Amino acid sequence: MPLLELKNLSVAYRLQKGYLMAVDQVSMEVNEGEVLGIAGESGCGKSTVALSVLRILPKSARVTGAVAFGGEDVLTMGDERVRAYRWKHVALVPQGSMNAFDPVISVGAQIVEAIRLHESAGKEEAWRRARELFGLVGIPKERVTNYPHELSGGMKQRAAIAMALSLSPKLVILDEPTTALDVVVQKQILSLLARLQRELGVSFMFITHDLSVLAEVATRVAVMYAGKLVEVGPADVMFRSPSHPYTQALMRAIPNVHGDISQVKSILGTPPDLTSLPKGCRFSPRCPHSFGRCTVEEPRLLPSTTGSMAACHLVGG
Ligand SMILES: Nc1ncnc2c1ncn2[C@@H]1O[C@H](COP(=O)(O)OP(=O)(O)OP(=O)(O)O)[C@@H](O)[C@H]1O
Ligand SMILES: [Mg+2]
């Protein structure tokens, strides 16, 4: 049984006029001990997926489909059960969280507060845990009493990860954890995650608009486009032989240190307005391989010849 399973998950945000479908019939799973990478351009619904799993969507969101954790239906959990599920089973490192620490409270005190909010740990015990967590994520333990501005960007991101790990969850969702960091610090965070996965057996859902960072950590990769899952498969397949033209375009947009920079191609055009989607395949207006059927019929996610699942008329037939 997968640890986390999304089945036909759809999320629509209510606007002044009508609805905006941010996530449209997405099905995917995270298995125990794996790192599922979710990639896609800005606005394709990645954070909305994360918020749905944690049940922290704004009131304006209408959710359909199913989210199951360890076989338990998350969307119908009662309030008390949800509180026990969040943090203890699934924790989130929200987008921008490294800059969300309260500037006038030490980072350690904020972790202590989070621990004590969810568990009946005493103050001393919670501080002991906070120091231990700092050690686990590679920050010197004595820095636990530092204020956010006394920590570097990389350390703040490590501290946000430490906070997420405080109740030993089985799954941690990281929303753009490396985006604001320079390349060297990005690499350090990626190796930290690989170590945590090895040592703690914790699973990760790693959300990013930058596919290249997933090459280092992901065991499987899911690519989203305009609210849809367009391709998902084992990381080696996705990086070596992507099937969907959008995944291929994202791959071509990655600078290769060994290659020629002139080979890097940005993707022409922009994703569609989610309130007025093109007919057929959503990627067709930007797709170099688009043909008649693509502009009338929406492709379904089907097995490709390389071992991924892809939603493209050229792939699934
Ligand atoms: N509370 C909201 N109300 C209305 N629309 C929203 C709301 N939150 C997000 N959206 C819209 O839903 C779509 C998906 O947003 P989401 O934040 O999930 O995308 P994302 O892939 O995480 O983007 P980014 O890479 O920029 O973080 C976007 O079009 C966004 O404008
Ligand atoms: Mg986001």
Side-chain angles (χ1 to χ4, degrees):
M1 188 202 293
L3 191 58
L4 175 76
E5 190 172 20
L6 312 183
K7 258 197 190 146
N8 299 324
L9 178 73
S10 296
V11 181
Y13 291 110
R14 192 172 51 247
L15 303 178
Q16 268 177 334
K17 255 201 207 157
Y19 282 89
L20 178 149
M21 201 71 147
V23 172
D24 195 351
Q25 300 267 328
V26 165
S27 298
M28 61 171 90
E29 71 254 346
V30 184
N31 297 301
E32 209 142 323
E34 94 170 340
V35 181
L36 174 73
I38 302 186
E41 283 164 291
S42 183
C44 68
K46 305 181 296 297
S47 294
T48 302
V49 167
L51 301 181
S52 312
V53 174
L54 270 294
R55 284 260 312 260
I56 47 176
L57 283 163
K59 281 211 165 63
S60 67
R62 198 183 56 184
V63 187
T64 58
V67 176
F69 185 83
E72 187 180 0
D73 184 351
V74 171
L75 298 182
T76 58
M77 278 177 185
D79 290 350
E80 209 158 298
R81 182 72 194 126
V82 168
R83 268 198 297 277
Y85 156 80
R86 275 187 214 133
W87 287 80
K88 273 195 190 149
H89 295 287
V90 181
L92 173 68
V93 179
Q95 195 162 2
S97 57
M98 60 182 258
N99 297 316
F101 284 109
D102 187 330
V104 298
I105 303 175
S106 78
V107 174
Q110 295 181 58
I111 294 177
V112 164
E113 198 184 309
I115 293 172
R116 298 192 70 206
L117 203 68
H118 291 88
E119 262 185 5
S120 56
K123 235 184 177 158
E124 234 167 78
E125 161 69 5
W127 273 103
R128 194 186 58 72
R129 289 265 295 283
R131 275 192 295 275
E132 208 175 87
L133 286 162
F134 259 48
L136 182 68
V137 299
I139 315 176
K141 292 182 183 176
E142 63 273 14
R143 305 290 295 261
V144 79
T145 50
N146 280 180
Y147 289 89
H149 73 269
E150 295 173 311
L151 299 179
S152 68
M155 281 184 186
K156 272 190 281 190
Q157 189 56 278
R158 285 171 193 265
I161 293 168
M163 194 148 156
L165 291 171
S166 60
L167 301 187
S168 313
K170 287 204 174 77
L171 173 69
V172 177
I173 301 181
L174 303 141
D175 196 350
E176 304 277 5
T178 56
T179 301
L181 304 170
D182 69 54
V183 179
V184 174
V185 181
Q186 267 189 13
K187 288 232 185 277
Q188 292 166 355
I189 296 290
L190 294 173
S191 52
L192 166 67
L193 295 177
R195 180 168 64 76
L196 292 173
Q197 191 236 341
R198 245 186 356 258
E199 288 177 7
L200 307 178
V202 56
S203 308
F204 290 106
M205 184 189 267
F206 188 119
I207 294 174
T208 179
H209 66 277
D210 178 2
L211 198 55
S212 67
V213 301
L214 295 181
E216 312 233 353
V217 283
T219 45
R220 279 192 314 126
V221 172
V223 173
M224 290 184 67
Y225 185 77
K228 281 275 182 196
L229 180 66
V230 294
E231 187 168 3
V232 57
D236 57 333
V237 168
M238 297 292 279
F239 282 99
R240 211 169 353 96
S241 43
S243 292
H244 197 287
Y246 181 58
T247 316
Q248 292 169 356
L250 285 179
M251 294 293 175
R252 278 196 298 271
I254 299 177
N256 180 346
V257 279
H258 307 296
D260 182 350
I261 193 80
S262 66
Q263 296 293 309
V264 177
K265 299 225 166 23
S266 60
I267 310 172
L268 288 177
T270 50
D273 174 357
L274 294 178
T275 58
S276 64
L277 289 166
K279 266 191 98 179
C281 171
R282 289 163 196 206
F283 187 58
S284 63
R286 299 170 79 186
C287 182
H289 308 292
S290 173
F291 62 103
R293 188 177 169 199
C294 304
T295 56
V296 283
E297 188 189 329
E298 188 149 38
R300 288 186 304 130
L301 204 63
L302 295 168
S304 74
T305 52
T306 57
S308 67
M309 300 281 287
C312 173
H313 291 309
L314 285 171
V315 173

